[in-house]
Amino acid sequence: MSHLRNADLNLLEALAVLLEERHVTRAADRFHLSQSAMSRVLQRLRETFGDELLVRTQRGYEPTPRGQQIQSELADLLPRLETLLRGDAFDPATASGHFRIHCTDYATSLLGPTLFRRFFREAPGIALDVAPLGDESFVDVEQGRADLVLSGVVAPRSLRWATLFEEDFVCLLSHDHPVTAERLTLDDFTAYPHVVVTILAGGQTMVERRLDEHGLRRATGLRVPYFSAAAAVPGTELIATLPRRAALAYGDDAAYRVAAAPEELPSFPYGIAWHPRVDSDPAHRWLRQVVRETTTQVTGHRAD
């Protein structure tokens, strides 16, 4: 117990941020400290753990083996400590801290306006960090760097998953596009270049996976990181494949036409993923409840 008596538990969250950012200035900004103060924190942590924790390389700071081990353990430890210290009591009106959510611009445009208003009305002292969905998003949840992922890709079995609503694909085309059918066939779909939204593994994996099942590929005309960039289709032969609710934003604009996607592209569940370690955490339960209830309000679909 002598090591525990000599340790400052308040430094553990700062260590988690330093190991995640691997950059003293960025960690200081997140912790609302000056760069020099965060440097002093890092020095205290090095003395506490008897290890450099982060070392400077040509690529910037990198964790030592001991730092990597501690980072993995903190991902489980910090949420448990938070729950232990707080107990079952959680009042969003007086709580402080922050949550981090990974999602696409589709989710932020669909749910964000309603979600953010409610979140900050009920929890004015909690900061919300929204990061883009990417290949490492589920890993970030597993390792404690993110709290929730909102995605059309079902989470791995190591995480919890709940469906928020069902969604399907539609195709956004220029009003003068050569294809005039109300539903595109696979032949139509593969005959023209596409706006490919690069989300996971360099593309819209659900679309590519379905095409692969039929031995087909689509030609990439424009590669973009956001669904909102589908606005590039007017005056071109490009086809943008979007979730139906994302395409609704263009429905009243005469420059666009919305057609049903090929029937070979089925509907899919859109949901949230989180780590089992926060199942019973009161703050996290509140966050999931806010997301679920917001989804019901916006989409009319009762979330799981």
Side-chain angles (χ1 to χ4, degrees):
M1 295 293 291
S2 60
H3 291 292
L4 185 58
R5 282 195 295 269
N6 293 331
D8 183 351
L9 297 181
N10 291 322
L11 295 177
L12 291 180
E13 188 174 2
L15 176 55
V17 172
L18 279 163
L19 289 170
E20 178 183 344
E21 293 291 348
R22 303 182 184 187
H23 193 284
V24 173
T25 302
R26 288 199 301 267
D29 289 342
R30 281 182 55 180
F31 226 68
H32 305 293
L33 292 176
S34 67
Q35 190 271 343
S36 58
M38 184 57 81
S39 295
R40 291 194 294 272
V41 168
L42 177 58
Q43 184 56 41
R44 289 182 61 189
L45 286 164
R46 286 168 167 164
E47 294 169 358
T48 298
F49 286 95
D51 187 88
E52 285 297 294
L53 301 175
L54 287 166
V55 294
R56 194 184 297 276
T57 70
Q58 291 182 341
R59 299 187 302 272
Y61 279 106
E62 294 289 339
T64 64
R66 175 74 166 136
Q68 291 177 326
Q69 176 194 3
I70 292 171
Q71 183 177 25
S72 176
E73 293 177 355
L74 285 177
D76 283 320
L77 178 61
L78 286 177
R80 295 178 186 276
L81 278 175
E82 182 69 22
T83 301
L84 177 66
L85 294 171
R86 184 176 58 234
D88 291 332
F90 174 73
D91 180 2
T94 59
S96 60
H98 76 278
F99 289 116
R100 193 174 203 193
I101 296 175
H102 286 217
C103 61
T104 65
D105 62 321
Y106 163 56
T108 54
S109 63
L110 177 67
L111 302 177
T114 304
L115 175 63
F116 300 153
R117 280 196 300 270
R118 175 173 174 181
F119 185 97
F120 292 109
R121 183 176 66 245
E122 295 187 12
I126 300 179
L128 185 60
D129 182 6
V130 179
L133 185 70
D135 292 333
E136 298 298 313
S137 291
F138 291 131
V139 175
D140 286 346
V141 171
E142 289 178 342
Q143 297 185 359
R145 294 190 293 268
D147 296 288
L148 276 183
V149 169
L150 280 68
S151 172
V153 178
V154 176
R157 292 184 178 180
S158 58
L159 301 179
R160 297 282 193 260
W161 168 266
T163 298
L164 295 174
F165 56 91
E166 289 289 325
E167 184 60 286
D168 62 343
F169 286 117
V170 297
C171 294
L172 189 69
L173 306 94
S174 177
H175 74 97
D176 56 355
H177 195 281
V179 176
T180 59
E182 293 185 3
R183 176 184 290 277
L184 274 65
T185 65
L186 279 180
D187 287 342
D188 294 331
F189 194 77
T190 55
Y192 295 92
H194 283 253
V195 178
V196 176
V197 183
T198 55
I199 301 172
L200 301 176
Q204 287 171 269
T205 53
M206 281 183 287
V207 175
E208 270 62 48
R209 187 165 58 247
R210 297 302 184 190
L211 291 177
D212 284 344
E213 292 172 357
H214 295 272
L216 298 172
R217 297 186 64 182
R218 58 177 176 169
T220 299
L222 174 65
R223 192 177 295 273
V224 293
Y226 309 116
F227 283 104
S228 58
V233 301
T236 74
E237 293 188 351
L238 292 168
I239 298 173
T241 304
L242 306 176
R244 180 177 297 276
R245 292 178 177 87
L248 292 177
Y250 306 97
D252 294 331
D253 192 322
Y256 302 90
R257 190 173 67 81
V258 177
E263 59 184 12
E264 290 83 0
L265 299 181
S267 62
F268 58 93
Y270 204 93
I272 52 173
W274 68 95
H275 199 282
R277 64 174 166 263
V278 294
D279 272 346
S280 58
D281 178 75
H284 209 281
R285 287 204 309 265
W286 172 81
L287 175 64
R288 298 196 302 269
Q289 179 183 358
V290 169
V291 172
R292 285 188 174 105
E293 292 179 356
T294 297
T295 299
T296 300
Q297 180 180 350
V298 171
T299 69
H301 185 282
R302 188 171 184 82
D304 291 350

